[in-house]
Structure formats: structure tokens, C-alpha cells
């Protein structure tokens, strides 16, 4: 069904863009987040439109908005997620327009959160409002979640809702960041849709040795042993793992690029060649690192601690490592991979403060075809491929409730505008025309999902 008449779209786009500019003006930098004023503003819009939002405060100032548009219940709900918080925008002098102004200029709407991800919060809002205003009969409830605290680990946002209010958000599918944006490669236009996320597995490596006085050399000191382990982690590679989601991603990319590039990319599916190709053949080093991260568990030593005094050899030295796991991998798997590299004589322990598990959906889930069809209807050049996010989002939390989460927040970018650079970078901005394109695709997709799918 058509959600809007052809003549009504421009009005909706203007409303969305004005709302997005206003939402950007709420300074929801996390920490501290302070999402409550933005949440109240959003709830008020929902109320004005005859909806009944709930404001849920996970901690003072850390508010989440949940709103449900009721359907017949013939099918389970669809959840639309967006986070209200943003990362900081330090060094405002590096911005062309002030980061919290919501300035519209040069064909863009500028500001922190324009991409990550207030644009999606507003797209979700517009989808709900359009369906409500049109009085569409839904087969499924549509749930809107505008949450706090994604940028600092989701504790007061999606994590809190999953733990404390699961019934408010339980759904068959969830849509949110990060995917559906256009990515131009070799004159082709790809739209990667996120179907998986890596898990977080932080851990410590401890080395012990004889303590002693700094005046007597000790090659067996804890610090030297630890340094050797860190050096090995930097020099040696963790093993290759091909997940079904990445297999689809690489296959789709290679088949559509064709030529030498396609030929080389296809070789990434070969465990004997992949590492060599990433290291030696791919000319774009940034791209190469991304391919590395989607085909391996990764480790990054970040915090190092040892002695207190310059003249005392400490008995213990420790490094904290940010480990990331591919779907299907366990922390034990990673510990074994690390032991294989650093050898014996170390104590490894996982740090249990972060319990974010990997998220992986079937790249052949029927919903994927809906995304693909709706994108192609508005952009016949669209090539839609699944992809794996090496970080995590609210999606990893929702997946714990069995919600099938997909990063689908469509957006047509201007070639040369790198989507990832806008995230957390200076001069974050969204192209106005591309946002209108995305809003239309998104509203048409959501309408299909709640009425026909
Ligand atoms: Zn985000």
C-alpha cells in the first residue's frame, strides 16, 4: 500500500528535516548524556499526534522513550530503534558550522548526530506518525524506542530496557543502525545492510617474575616478559574465520565489482590466500584493515600497568586487551588463540565488566528481500549486500531477547562523502536530498513490514 500520496512527500520531508535540526540542538553528549530534555521533546510530538509514549528513566536524566502503535496482533511486533545520545564534538573550531546548531547549508544538515544517529530517530518518528495519521491498519504493532547511552555501552538505554522492561520492546524484528547507506565503489552503488556485530571480549594478560632491586638486571622480570607478549601480539596474526554473513558480503561485493578487484576479493574466501591478499594486495590500507577485522578475532593492547618505583622490579605486570570476537567464537576460543601466540608463562583472565555478545542474523532472512526491493524501487542502481559491523550497537542487546536485528537506516550519500568519517568525526552532516531518499525508502519499507510482511 501507499503510505502517502505523491504530493504529500515534500511536506513530510520538510517536517523531518526541521525536527532533525531541532533534535541536534539538544546537547546529548555522552558522557553525561542528559537525554531527558530531548526525550521529553520527542514524547511531546508523539502525544500531539495522539500517541501514548512512555518515558523511562534509567537514572536521573537518562531517559528513554518507548511508544507503541497498535496493530491487530496477527503477527509479532517490529521495533524501530534509535539512540538519542551523541559523542562529544570537541574542538568546535574545526567545524564549518557549530556542531549543535542544526545548520542547513550547502545541501547538508550539519551537526553532531546528523548521521549517528538522530537522523534515524527522526526517520523512526516519521514512520510512526505517517502510519498513525493515515489510520493504516497494521498486522503488527510498531514499537518506537528512542534510547539513551548507546555511545557509552548501552547501560542506561537498550541494556536497561532489555533487563528491566523486556515486554515493552519485545519484537520479531528490530531495525536501527548501522546500514542502508550508499557506498560507491568502482562506479557501482552498494547499500550494505548490517546483519551481524562482533562481540566484546576484554581480557588481561599478567606476567609474574622475581621482584628485586633495579640495580641488578633481571631478564626474567615481569615487565620484560609482558613486553615480549605484547610484541608477539603485534607481530603475529590471529587465525582466519569465515562467517556466513561475511561470506555473503564478500561474494556480493566481488560478483558486482568484477574484473581484477572482484577476482582478488573473491580470494578472501580462501583461508590459504586471504591473509596474504589483505596484507600485500589490497591497495587501500584502511579497507584492508576492515577486511582483516571481519575475517578474524582481533586484539588491541590498550592499558599497561606495572611497577610503582623506578628502582624496584615489580613482581607483576599486566596489560588489558580489547578483544573482539566474530559471531560463533567464544572467549575460550580467543584465549586459546592468544596463548598460541604468546606461549606459556602468562595468566589470562577475561574482564567481566562488558557482556556484549555477538549478534548474527541469517543473511537470507526474508526481511532482507524487502529491504532490497524497497531500495531498488527508489534507486534502480542499488546493489544490496549484507555486512558485519566490527563494533556493537543497541542491536547486540536486543538480540538477547531474540529480536532479529538489522542495521537498516537508508541514506543516499554523495560520492566522496565517507559515511564512516562522519561518524564521530568533525563536520558530521547529512545530505538533504539523500536523507529525503532514505526517508521515503524507510517509510515504504516499514509500511510493507507492518501491513504485508
Ligand atoms: Zn550510533
Amino acid at each position: 500500500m501507499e503510505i502517502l500520496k505523491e504530493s504529500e512527500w515534500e511536506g513530510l520531508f520538510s517536517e523531518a528535516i526541521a525536527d532533525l535540526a531541532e533534535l541536534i540542538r539538544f546537547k546529548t553528549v555522552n558522557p553525561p548524556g542528559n537525554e531527558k530534555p530531548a526525550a521529553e521533546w520527542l514524547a511531546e510530538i508523539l502525544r500531539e499526534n495522539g500517541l501514548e509514549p512512555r518515558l523511562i528513566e534509567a537514572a536521573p536524566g537518562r531517559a528513554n522513550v518507548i511508544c507503541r502503535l497498535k496493530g491487530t496482533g496477527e503477527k509479532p511486533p517490529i521495533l524501530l530503534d534509535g539512540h538519542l545520545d551523541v559523542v562529544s564534538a570537541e574542538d568546535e573550531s574545526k567545524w564549518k558550522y557549530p556542531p549543535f546548531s542544526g545548520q542547513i547549508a550547502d545541501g547538508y544538515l550539519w551537526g553532531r548526530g546528523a548521521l549517528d544517529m538522530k537522523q534515524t530517530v527522526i526517520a523512526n518518528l516519521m514512520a510512526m506518525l505517517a502510519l498513525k495519521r493515515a489510520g493504516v491498519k497494521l498486522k503488527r504493532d510498531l514499537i518506537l524506542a528512542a534510547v539513551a547511552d548507546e555511545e557509552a555501552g548501552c547501560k542506561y538505554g537498550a541494556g536497561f530496557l532489555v533487563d528491566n522492561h523486556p515486554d515493552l520492546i519485545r519484537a520479531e524484528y528490530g531495525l536501527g543502525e548501522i546500514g542502508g547507506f550508499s557506498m560507491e565503489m568502482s562506479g557501482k552503488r552498494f547499500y550494505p545492510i548490517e546483519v551481524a556485530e562482533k562481540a566484546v571480549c576484554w581480557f588481561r594478560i599478567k606476567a609474574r617474575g622475581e621482584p628485586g632491586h633495579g640495580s641488578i638486571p633481571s631478564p626474567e622480570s615481569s615487565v620484560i616478559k609482558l613486553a615480549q607478549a605484547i610484541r608477539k601480539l603485534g607481530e603475529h596474526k590471529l587465525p582466519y574465520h569465515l562467517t556466513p554473513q561475511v561470506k555473503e558480503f564478500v561474494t556480493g561485493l566481488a560478483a558486482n565489482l568484477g574484473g581484477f578487484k572482484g577476482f582478488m576479493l573473491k580470494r578472501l574466501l580462501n583461508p590459504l590466500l586471504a591473509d596474504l591478499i589483505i596484507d600485500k594486495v589490497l591497495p587501500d590500507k584502511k579497507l584492508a584493515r576492515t577486511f582483516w577485522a571481519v575475517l578474524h578475532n582481533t586484539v588491541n593492547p590498550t592499558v599497561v600497568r606495572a611497577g610503582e618505583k623506578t628502582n624496584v622490579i615489580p613482581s607483576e605486570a599486566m596489560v588489558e586487551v580489547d578483544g573482539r570476537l566474530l559471531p560463533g567464537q567464544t572467549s575460550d576460543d580467543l584465549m586459546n588463540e592468544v596463548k598460541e601466540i604468546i606461549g606459556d608463562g602468562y595468566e589470562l583472565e577475561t574482564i567481566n565488566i562488558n557482556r556484549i555478545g555477538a549478534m548474527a542474523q541469517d543473511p537470507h532472512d526474508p526481511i532482507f528481500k524487502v529491504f532490497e526491493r524497497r531500495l531498488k524501487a527508489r534507486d534502480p542502481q542499488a546493489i544490496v549486500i549484507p555486512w558485519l559491523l566490527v563494533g556493537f550497537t543497541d542491536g547486540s542487546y536486543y538480540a538477547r531477547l531474540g529480536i532479529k536485528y538489522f542495521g537498516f537506516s537508508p541514506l543516499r550519500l554523495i560520492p566522496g562523502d565517507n559515511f564512516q568519517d562522519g561518524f564521530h568525526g568533525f563536520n558530521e552532516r547529512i545530505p538533504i536530498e539523500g536523507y529525503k531518499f532514505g526517508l521515503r525508502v524507510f517509510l515504504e519499507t516499514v509500511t510493507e513490514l507492518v501491513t504485508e510482511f
Side-chain angles (χ1 to χ4, degrees):
M1 69 158 292
E2 296 294 327
I3 175 71
L4 290 179
K5 292 196 202 77
E6 204 53 46
S7 60
E8 293 172 326
W9 282 102
E10 276 305 323
L12 178 129
F13 296 151
S14 302
E15 184 182 352
I17 289 158
D19 282 351
L20 177 55
E22 198 158 346
L23 183 55
I24 286 172
R25 286 182 209 119
F26 288 95
K27 207 169 175 180
T28 53
V29 173
N30 186 10
N34 189 28
E35 296 89 350
K36 195 175 177 185
E40 281 173 338
W41 169 82
L42 192 70
E44 185 53 33
I45 296 176
L46 290 160
R47 272 193 295 272
E48 281 166 4
N49 282 273
L51 290 148
E52 293 169 16
R54 278 189 65 173
L55 217 70
I56 294 169
E57 248 180 294
R62 312 305 303 271
N64 299 274
V65 182
I66 306 290
C67 190
R68 184 178 292 252
L69 182 60
K70 287 292 283 177
T72 59
E74 191 184 321
K75 291 276 192 85
I78 300 273
L79 172 71
L80 306 180
D81 173 78
H83 61 82
L84 292 165
D85 62 321
V86 295
V87 295
S88 73
E90 275 157 21
D91 206 351
E92 296 197 8
S93 66
K94 292 222 170 77
W95 288 67
K96 190 167 178 192
Y97 302 98
F100 299 99
S101 64
Q103 177 81 40
I104 294 170
D106 320 327
Y108 293 93
L109 201 168
W110 300 71
R112 176 58 82 227
L115 292 173
D116 182 14
M117 68 177 293
K118 288 177 171 174
Q119 50 116 346
T120 311
V121 173
I122 296 300
N124 294 344
L125 171 72
M126 297 318 298
M128 182 164 272
L129 296 187
L131 287 162
K132 167 78 179 163
R133 289 168 185 166
V136 175
K137 192 169 161 223
L138 316 187
K139 274 202 223 166
R140 303 170 181 265
D141 288 4
L142 186 66
I143 305 168
L144 177 143
V147 304
D149 200 29
E150 194 272 347
E151 298 292 359
C154 314
K155 184 177 171 198
Y156 300 109
F160 182 84
L161 296 172
V162 165
D163 288 344
N164 298 285
H165 299 279
D167 292 340
L168 293 182
I169 51 171
R170 196 168 274 121
E172 182 177 11
Y173 291 99
L175 309 187
E177 63 181 353
I178 298 172
F181 53 90
S182 63
M183 189 182 84
E184 311 263 341
M185 273 178 94
S186 305
K188 303 272 172 78
R189 196 154 50 245
F190 293 91
Y191 288 83
I193 293 175
E194 190 210 288
V195 297
E197 294 178 4
K198 283 177 106 170
V200 176
C201 177
W202 295 350
F203 61 97
R204 282 188 196 97
I205 303 173
K206 275 188 195 162
R208 289 184 203 281
E210 275 296 303
H213 194 274
S215 58
I216 307 287
S218 168
E220 288 293 292
S221 96
S222 63
V223 178
I224 288 174
K225 270 165 59 181
L226 186 72
Q228 285 161 349
I230 294 172
R231 182 176 54 79
K232 285 178 184 163
L233 281 183
E235 280 174 359
H236 298 273
K237 315 280 190 193
L238 265 56
Y240 169 96
H241 302 288
L242 183 62
T243 58
Q245 291 79 13
V246 173
K247 187 176 177 191
E248 289 294 319
F249 167 64
V250 172
T251 305
L253 212 53
N256 286 286
L257 285 174
F260 180 70
K261 237 183 217 167
F263 178 83
M264 289 320 292
L265 285 179
K266 192 127 196 274
R267 297 294 162 300
L268 292 177
L269 302 179
N270 182 336
L272 299 175
L273 296 176
D275 290 4
L276 186 73
I277 287 170
I278 294 171
D279 268 355
K280 307 280 184 220
V281 182
L282 293 181
D284 179 343
K285 290 299 151 207
K286 207 164 149 191
L287 189 70
R289 278 206 294 275
T290 307
F291 276 113
W292 181 269
V294 300
L295 288 164
H296 302 78
N297 298 327
T298 57
V299 287
N300 260 314
T302 46
V303 178
V304 182
R305 282 201 195 98
E308 301 277 344
K309 294 188 78 180
T310 311
N311 64 348
V312 177
I313 301 170
S315 60
E316 187 183 305
M318 180 280 295
V319 58
E320 287 181 6
V321 184
D322 183 347
R324 304 288 173 129
L325 302 175
L326 284 164
Q329 295 284 307
T330 66
S331 52
D332 285 347
D333 293 333
L334 180 62
M335 292 308 108
N336 287 331
E337 291 182 352
V338 169
K339 276 183 205 154
E340 191 65 37
I341 288 174
I342 63 174
D344 294 333
Y346 297 97
E347 291 165 36
L348 268 63
E349 62 181 32
T350 51
I351 304 172
N352 282 324
I353 54 174
N354 221 326
R355 55 196 179 100
I356 296 159
M359 190 263 326
Q361 308 303 336
D362 178 1
H364 299 290
D365 190 289
I367 201 170
F368 203 86
K369 286 274 164 242
V370 179
F371 300 148
E372 185 170 24
R373 186 153 31 76
R374 288 295 169 180
L375 273 165
K376 278 179 181 284
R378 295 288 152 212
D379 179 3
Q381 311 290 314
I383 302 166
V384 182
I385 51 170
W387 81 303
L388 175 143
L389 182 76
V390 296
F392 67 86
T393 71
D394 293 331
S396 286
Y397 284 91
Y398 293 135
R400 282 167 31 198
L401 292 179
I403 297 171
K404 291 185 264 183
Y405 183 90
F406 290 84
F408 180 72
S409 178
L411 183 61
R412 173 103 176 248
L413 294 173
I414 294 167
D417 273 359
N418 188 329
F419 184 74
Q420 256 100 348
D421 287 351
F423 266 64
H424 304 193
F426 298 122
N427 290 317
E428 184 174 348
R429 62 193 184 276
I430 187 168
I432 301 279
E433 288 307 313
Y435 189 41
K436 291 181 183 177
F437 164 86
L439 284 164
R440 180 148 191 180
V441 171
F442 187 69
L443 264 66
E444 288 173 342
T445 304
V446 173
T447 303
E448 177 171 345
L449 292 178
V450 293
T451 58
E452 297 166 41
F453 181 67

